């Protein structure tokens, strides 16, 4: 069969979604279309190309050799279309990961970006941790995120751009009847002998667990053993209520019932937060997001190191911090 003279980008977008999700239902949800319509588009693309792109069974969807061969070409075509639309002010929505609904840094930057570019659509997502979000960025399923850039593997960092946004003071979340809960601030030395929860075992947030290990090293503080992975605030609180471990957090961590949030001092540990995006991404809303991050960081002094501030050397280099 001769190659078609024209391919509808919608068909390529359907193909890429299925190839990345390996599941028609998830791909349809990602594109906000009915599964039947998605399947119809994929079948039409197969007819137009004269090639079977997926092996379908009741249990799984797997790209064929032709499907694997098509995927990089389809991604490049769709990126070119997005770039063209962005150049003429017709950009698709920008998908921005805020990690978790209660965290403040990303939300304030997103709100400012929406005010700077009201004609653009910036859509919030919640991917929990930067390590997981970075994989989504590289795959093109997400456009921007926030988190500890130095905590990513080098191969991921090489595919991403970043802009320092904040050095956020860290805190500890304690059961309200914990002996340290009476203190207005908790010296780090007071946590000696404690097992502090820092997301160990969570595949979405190893950059946070690594930061905790660096902070606790030589101070007699242990990272708590992995707890069951909880999805959602209620489940997280239920698991933490059972373990009763102190939780390493940031000062703006959202309040939970029967707990208190106390700043850490002596030293003041800082959580490095960058705005992170896929290299090569061209989008007017990303420009607005970067302007917003710069404005808010400057206005609030987010990149100043407080007296007694602590940050790992690797993060200081990435964040352009002079200690």
């Amino acid at each position: 069969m001769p190659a078609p003279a024209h391919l509808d980008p919608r068909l390529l977008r359907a193909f890429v979604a299925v190839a990345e999700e390996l599941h028609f239902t998830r791909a349809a949800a990602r594109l906000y279309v009915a599964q039947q319509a998605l399947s119809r588009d994929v079948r039409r693309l197969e007819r137009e190309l004269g090639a079977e792109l997926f092996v379908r069974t009741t249990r799984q969807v797997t790209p064929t050799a032709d499907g694997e061969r098509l995927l990089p070409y389809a991604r490049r075509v769709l990126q070119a279309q997005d770039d063209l639309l962005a150049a003429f002010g017709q950009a698709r929505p920008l998908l921005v990961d805020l990690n978790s609904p209660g965290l403040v840094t990303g939300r304030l930057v997103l709100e400012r970006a929406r005010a700077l570019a009201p004609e653009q659509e910036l859509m919030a997502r919640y991917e929990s941790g930067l390590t997981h979000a970075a994989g989504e960025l590289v795959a093109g399923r997400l456009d921007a995120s926030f988190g500890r850039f130095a905590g990513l593997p080098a191969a991921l960092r090489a595919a991403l751009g970043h802009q320092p946004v904040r050095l956020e003071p860290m805190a500890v979340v304690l059961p309200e009847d914990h002996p340290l809960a009476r203190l207005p601030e908790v010296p780090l030395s007071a946590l000696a002998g404690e097992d502090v929860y820092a997301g160990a075992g969570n595949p979405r947030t190893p950059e946070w667990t690594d930061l905790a290990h660096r902070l606790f090293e030589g101070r007699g503080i242990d990272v708590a053993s992995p707890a069951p992975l909880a999805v959602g605030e209620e489940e997280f609180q239920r698991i933490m209520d059972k373990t009763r471990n102190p939780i390493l957090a940031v000062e703006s961590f959202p309040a939970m019932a029967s707990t208190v949030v106390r700043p850490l001092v002596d030293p003041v540990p800082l959580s490095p937060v960058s705005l992170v995006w896929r290299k090569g991404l061209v989008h007017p809303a990303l420009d607005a997001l970067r302007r917003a991050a710069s404005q808010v960081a400057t206005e609030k002094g987010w990149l100043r190191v407080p007296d007694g501030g602590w940050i790992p050397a690797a993060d200081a280099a990435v964040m352009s911090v002079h200690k």
Side-chain angles (χ1 to χ4, degrees):
M1 177 181 294
H6 169 75
L7 280 178
D8 186 340
R10 187 187 80 250
L11 306 185
L12 292 176
R13 207 169 290 278
F15 161 73
V16 169
V18 176
E20 291 178 345
E21 298 292 343
L22 299 179
H23 196 281
F24 274 85
T25 300
R26 289 197 298 267
R30 170 174 151 183
L31 296 176
Y32 301 99
V33 299
Q35 184 176 338
Q36 183 178 10
L38 179 73
S39 298
R40 185 169 58 247
D41 283 347
V42 171
R43 286 195 300 270
R44 178 181 161 191
L45 180 62
E46 289 177 320
R47 288 196 303 272
E48 293 191 6
L49 291 176
E52 185 179 18
L53 301 175
F54 296 105
V55 176
R56 305 160 176 85
T57 70
T58 56
R59 293 177 177 268
Q60 63 182 4
V61 178
T62 307
T64 64
D66 283 330
E68 294 281 5
R69 187 158 60 97
L70 174 62
L71 186 57
Y73 293 102
R75 283 174 170 156
R76 289 201 292 270
V77 168
L78 294 175
Q79 183 62 60
Q81 182 193 39
D82 289 344
D83 293 347
L84 184 152
L85 293 175
F88 287 88
Q90 300 179 35
R92 61 174 174 77
L94 191 80
L95 304 182
V96 183
D97 168 41
L98 303 183
N99 302 137
S100 129
L103 296 180
V104 169
T105 301
R107 178 171 56 80
L108 291 179
V109 172
L110 179 61
E111 289 173 357
R112 177 65 62 87
R114 286 170 172 164
L116 290 173
E119 73 285 359
Q120 300 295 328
E121 186 61 73
L122 293 93
M123 301 288 294
R125 294 289 188 270
Y126 302 98
E127 298 292 341
S128 180
L130 182 59
T131 297
H132 177 74
E136 299 293 283
L137 291 172
V138 171
R141 293 188 288 266
L142 190 67
D143 296 312
S145 185
F146 293 87
R148 182 183 170 230
F149 189 71
L152 296 177
L156 269 179
R157 293 200 306 269
L160 301 169
H162 91 105
Q163 175 178 324
V165 175
R166 187 174 188 182
L167 299 170
E168 184 167 10
M170 296 166 72
V172 64
V173 181
L174 300 162
E176 60 185 4
D177 58 353
H178 191 284
L180 296 177
R182 299 191 298 268
L183 301 176
E185 300 175 326
V186 174
L188 206 57
S189 60
L191 290 174
E194 296 275 3
D195 293 333
V196 179
Y197 179 75
N202 185 342
R204 290 174 173 252
T205 60
E207 74 282 354
W208 181 253
T209 308
D210 174 72
L211 183 63
H213 279 296
R214 292 169 185 262
L215 176 61
F216 297 163
E217 185 177 9
R219 292 188 165 98
I221 310 168
D222 290 324
V223 172
S225 300
L229 186 58
V231 177
E233 183 179 332
E234 290 184 4
E235 280 297 280
F236 179 74
Q237 179 159 356
R238 184 180 67 82
I239 293 297
M240 291 299 100
D241 285 346
K242 290 179 68 174
T243 66
R244 292 186 57 78
N245 290 124
I247 304 166
L248 186 66
V250 291
E251 286 190 1
S252 62
F253 188 83
M256 298 190 302
S258 304
T259 67
V260 296
V261 179
R262 295 291 184 256
L264 288 169
V265 294
D266 301 329
V268 177
L270 303 170
S271 170
V273 181
S274 288
L275 170 63
V276 183
W277 63 90
R278 182 174 61 261
K279 279 185 179 176
L281 176 62
V282 177
H283 197 297
L286 177 61
D287 297 338
L289 198 64
R290 294 190 64 184
R291 290 199 309 274
S294 180
Q295 287 181 10
V296 177
T298 299
E299 291 169 9
K300 294 185 175 292
W302 275 353
L303 290 172
R304 288 199 298 265
V305 179
D307 292 340
W310 172 94
I311 181 174
D315 292 88
V318 163
M319 302 291 286
S320 301
V321 170
H322 302 287
K323 297 196 293 181

